[in-house]
């Protein structure tokens, strides 16, 4: 097991080449935000844009359009009922599904659409409701993607893996991971106050940072957005994912010095400055 | 009578344990915000989230959805016409009803729903319009809750208690409080420029802080949000309530040093830093 | 003619008494904001709230509801098609009509409603479109109000008074003012880069401040909001109006030191601090 | 070829005369923002207002109304389906069309409307989708305008000019420019990491500034807004356009010192201060 450190993050967040253009930094698609949980997808979007995603699109309930643009006009919108969503999925490098997605039939059909559509050049991130849908039906796993990242907290992982929280030992987690991903293309981000990241090859990264002020609704949605932003810019490997987890906590720790509770939207706003520091060192 | 002091607040706002998760800090439900008074429930929500509520849901008029998420995506939404509101009430630890609720039939039916649904593990906060509805019909009081907190200003208390403002003496307030709450589970926050907090056992806490710059619309909604956040995290006892009242005024006093008028939304933004200070001392 | 100075402003903006409550600082109603000009009424609202109005209500097109609450939840909303607007007008101390009102039939009917409804305990502020409607039909003037304040720029005054801009001499302005207000209850704020304020008794105050960075859309709407806030708190006399004009320009001048263009919404945000300074001196 | 320098910018951004009024600084109309790309027109609007446009109107999809006013109430709105858009076009000095416009029939009809309506006293800026529509049909070019500014990035220019990116040499660009504008009234802003500006007379300005943190969605929309603001205030000549390009990059460079990624909306907020500095020197 490797403890994530500044060194790992520095190896990932490098200075951009001077002849950069936005297409180089990923076409990120975020899918989520039902009528009841629109804030979740907005928080994920703010995190993705602040983490440097080149182009960010959001497929969500039409009711979330105004608030999305009010907070983050940098993102593009698609009504998640629209039939041309399939085209947007095809054109994206990173598809993150789950924040505020909900569990109804439409949510299920969206996960199915992602599964049917993605190819082995794309990364899929599965979070929140998407994981609960998977727990009900493992065939929904979009295994065709190049890389599939799951980001459950311990209770969600219990539902997906059928391993009760006290028994979520590394070897058991690996075993489920390998059975879910016969092609070894899955990565598990198991969120707790000592978040661990597992790949199918036996590697584990553990996060030494974080604080109890981050125990507030929306913190996970924000991590999903950072992961999407990072995978859009840097290659979707375990070190990139570890860096996203670490930076999320580091931003939270900076805020926690002065704030009893850490608001997810304030955390996102800190990301560009922290990334700058790592890129310069 | 006890004057609220830093010491009381320090005893309530303690450092969070390192293995915290959001479920530990309360599932708060705020109910309010008619077409005309949507801002009230938004201000209450901003206060609850900034005060550290673990998970915050808002039952309001669908017309307030966009502005709610625009300002505070950390909160979840439920259309207050939806039938599954009853489930959300059941799943909440703290239910605050009143800010911008209005007085029409639907408002009344929502208060009735709260009364019918809550159990003796839950805290209910009654503010603004909810108090006026109660003044008209005392049977709406949700006495089944573990703790019921009322937050009238003096005019609202006059309507609930039938005691004219000049005659709102401690012993008369106690007497009404005890008749409203035969099980001694009610707490009265009687707002004035010397806000007093009464429980059914004869205890009184008085607030020494506050300033005339806080005499602006929305200040009460903000207090309700802070109360909800505090009761979600700390136990819903009189010292917790006193601490919320004190912190609300302290934040207002800090702003008043530089501002002639204190905006409720600016007050809310100050809360995380003030809570931090108390937690460290 | 008196040049407005710090001294005048200090005599108006005094410290609030410690036993203040929001009802003491005015019930302000702002009417305006058609589908095309919703931003105007939002800017006026932000100015009124930041200037210390006790309670601020906004009667506007329903399409402006979300953006109004997104920016300034401190204000209450009423759909300007609702029949109970008449009750809100009756319950207000200050009614400001005009920002983004437009010139269509509904706009006209709203001005008529104000005229029909106001009594001699209320102040009416007429701005922007309301002045153009008046230019077409002088009988729309709400002369029953205790005080009527008009805030035209020179072109609007030309249309109301039929005096061409180069001929808008003091004596001619007085003469029109007296003919419009036989009861001497009108005040004219004639906006230019040397704004002058006239009452019916021959008094003139002139504004020495202001800058060309304020030549941007929305600056007048912001002044209207400040006037409404000031008249809500302080008595609606010429010195109060002069102070509002002066403070508006002073806030603009502060911003102009660092900004080539002064945004109205940034100007409003400065008001609470500037008022504080005057109240302390 | 002239490298743009502080000297050019200082010659354009001069102090405003003390007797300024908003009409002197341009009536800017921005057309764009379909259901999917509303953020683009909002970002362009924020840039125009912050760059000092006297009056800014936005013709867009009605779904973008709330978010537009939430972010920038300084702008006026017109539903782009309304028939009186033609009147607004006629009354504007600067018409910028393209950000988030889309490529459907309505988008095409709007570009046609602009072409049919503009006269030789007006400036038209063509960006984003407007350029793609032009690439399909060169007859859509609004050649009647006094000045037409195109702002393609290299790929868009390839589609308009039929010159592949590696062959976009100065002489070939000039040749296409002259064939598109027989009256020599066109200016080409060819965006890359070394943006060049060409007029029909053989002049070229090149931008020495900019950074890879600006490689993010919305950066081009922001430039369009700045161009519109500048052309509204200063004459629409090549030095003005060069100054807008330079200031856009300078603002980005300032942010890039501390931020790994530069958000377009943060860039816009920097403009008033930078313009001030140039006006004082």
């Amino acid at each position: 097991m490797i403890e994530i450190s500044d060194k790992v993050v520095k190896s990932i967040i490098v200075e951009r080449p001077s002849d950069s253009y936005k297409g180089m930094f990923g076409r990120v698609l975020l899918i989520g935000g039902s009528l009841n949980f629109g804030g979740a997808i907005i928080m994920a979007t703010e995190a993705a844009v602040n983490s440097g995603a080149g182009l960010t699109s959001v497929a969500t309930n039409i009711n979330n359009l105004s608030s999305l643009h009010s907070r983050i006009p940098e993102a593009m919108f698609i009504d998640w009922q629209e039939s041309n969503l399939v085209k947007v999925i095809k054109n994206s490098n990173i598809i993150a599904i789950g924040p505020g997605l909900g569990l109804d039939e439409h949510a299920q059909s969206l996960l199915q659409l992602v599964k049917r559509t993605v190819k082995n050049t794309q990364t899929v991130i599965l979070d929140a409701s998407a994981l609960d849908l998977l727990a009900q039906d493992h065939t929904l796993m979009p295994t065709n993607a190049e890389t599939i990242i799951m980001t459950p907290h311990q209770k969600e992982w219990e539902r997906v893996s059928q391993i009760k929280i006290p028994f979520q030992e590394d070897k058991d987690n690996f075993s489920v991971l390998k059975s879910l991903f016969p092609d070894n293309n899955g990565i598990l981000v198991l969120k707790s106050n000592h978040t661990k990241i597992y790949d199918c090859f036996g590697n584990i990264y553990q996060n030494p940072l974080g604080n109890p002020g981050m125990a507030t609704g929306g913190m996970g949605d924000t991590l999903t957005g950072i992961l999407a932003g990072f995978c859009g810019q840097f290659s979707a490997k375990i070190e990139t994912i570890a860096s996203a987890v670490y930076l999320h906590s580091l931003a939270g720790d900076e805020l926690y010095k002065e704030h009893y509770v850490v608001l997810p939207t304030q955390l996102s706003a800190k990301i560009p400055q922290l990334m700058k520091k790592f890129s310069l060192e």
Side-chain angles (χ1 to χ4, degrees), chain A residues 12-232:
Chain A
I12 297 298
I13 305 178
V14 291
E15 274 204 79
R16 292 178 165 189
S18 70
D19 60 343
S20 298
Y21 56 93
K22 60 191 172 187
M24 288 168 65
F25 303 124
R27 293 173 178 272
V28 168
L29 173 63
L30 304 164
I31 305 175
S34 66
L35 181 63
N36 292 325
F37 307 116
I41 200 70
I42 292 171
M43 290 187 282
T45 306
E46 289 186 47
V49 171
N50 278 290
S51 302
L55 286 162
T56 305
S57 292
V58 182
T60 187
N61 186 302
I62 185 92
N63 283 292
N64 298 321
L65 171 61
S66 286
S67 45
L68 178 75
H69 283 338
S70 290
R71 291 199 63 91
I72 186 91
E74 283 82 358
M76 291 168 285
F77 167 83
I78 179 165
D79 182 344
W80 71 6
Q81 299 281 0
E82 262 187 53
S83 61
N84 67 338
L85 176 56
V86 63
K87 231 166 70 186
V88 181
I89 296 173
K90 280 183 185 159
N91 287 333
S92 299
N93 311 113
I94 314 294
I95 297 108
I97 181 166
L101 179 68
L103 299 170
D104 66 11
E105 272 184 45
H106 186 63
Q108 215 172 324
S109 75
L110 287 169
L111 187 53
Q112 263 160 347
L113 182 68
V114 168
K115 184 201 157 67
R116 271 201 320 272
T117 311
V118 293
K119 299 232 173 87
N120 67 358
T121 55
Q122 296 176 299
T123 295
V124 175
I125 302 169
L126 301 164
D127 184 32
S129 325
L131 294 163
D132 285 335
L133 290 169
L134 269 167
Q136 294 165 20
D137 179 1
H138 279 199
T139 71
L140 288 169
M141 185 69 80
T143 43
N144 283 341
E146 186 178 26
T147 308
I148 302 100
I149 303 165
M150 294 184 297
T151 61
H153 53 60
Q154 292 170 297
K155 193 73 199 165
E156 286 166 339
W157 182 236
E158 180 179 306
R159 291 193 288 256
V160 171
S161 68
Q162 304 292 331
I163 312 171
K164 297 270 176 211
I165 294 179
F167 304 97
Q168 294 176 355
E169 301 291 335
D170 291 345
K171 73 170 173 32
D172 306 295
N173 293 337
F174 273 124
S175 153
V176 174
L177 193 61
K178 295 191 88 162
S179 79
L180 284 169
F181 300 102
D183 296 342
N184 293 326
N185 56 350
I187 292 180
L188 169 65
V189 178
L190 182 51
K191 296 185 289 196
S192 72
N193 61 332
H194 306 291
T195 295
K196 284 182 176 182
I197 302 150
Y198 303 82
D199 67 15
C200 293
F201 309 102
N203 296 304
I204 309 181
Y205 279 81
Q206 185 164 27
N207 181 25
L209 306 181
N211 64 75
M214 294 171 74
T216 192
M219 211 39 94
D221 307 312
T222 298
L223 176 59
T224 294
I226 300 175
L227 282 166
F230 272 45
C231 292

